[in-house]
Amino acid sequence: MTLISEDTDPSDSRAVARVATASTPPNRVTFNRLELNRILNLYGRMVADGEWRDYAIDFLKDRAVFSVFRRASEVPIYRIEKDPRLVRKQGMYSVISATGLILRRGHELERVLLVIDRKLAVV
């Protein structure tokens, strides 16, 4: 139990608590709205083509993973990962195949997704 003197304003203690919680780092890595929008647009086109069927999103302490499945009972055929620890090295975004092979890694999500985003070809 905390004792508050008559001279202190109770709202001051709430403001201090609010600032303390705002400055703490997040517990897990997530995709932001723009990143998730780009990934889900690609996913929607591939579902419409009949190539992909299911997905899973994992927000872990060290990275965020978007896994793509051909069928729900299989291993993911692609994993799109965001690992902020690699931002100054080879880039925090990567596309990894089902075998664990890193297909592409980079600093920009758009360029990394080009490895699995096939464009319409003129026939």
Side-chain angles (χ1 to χ4, degrees), residues 14-30:
R14 280 189 234 122
V16 170
R18 195 176 321 120
V19 170
T21 58
S23 66
T24 58
N27 293 349
R28 50 190 184 176
V29 178
T30 61

Side-chain angles (χ1 to χ4, degrees), residues 37-100:
N37 188 26
R38 174 62 181 104
I39 293 170
L40 289 174
N41 282 338
L42 171 63
Y43 175 77
R45 280 189 277 124
M46 296 303 236
V47 167
D49 288 344
E51 293 187 26
W52 296 352
R53 301 253 188 258
D54 200 8
Y55 72 92
I57 301 176
D58 297 311
F59 298 134
L60 307 171
K61 279 189 164 193
D62 59 340
R63 66 183 189 266
V65 182
F66 186 94
S67 303
V68 177
F69 297 89
R70 189 161 304 198
R71 289 179 196 82
S73 62
E74 294 181 350
V75 296
I77 55 175
Y78 295 113
R79 288 187 331 237
I80 302 163
E81 293 191 2
K82 176 182 178 181
D83 192 347
R85 294 175 300 167
L86 301 174
V87 72
R88 292 191 177 188
K89 295 180 181 175
Q90 297 172 341
M92 72 172 145
Y93 301 107
S94 59
V95 174
I96 303 170
S97 70
T99 60

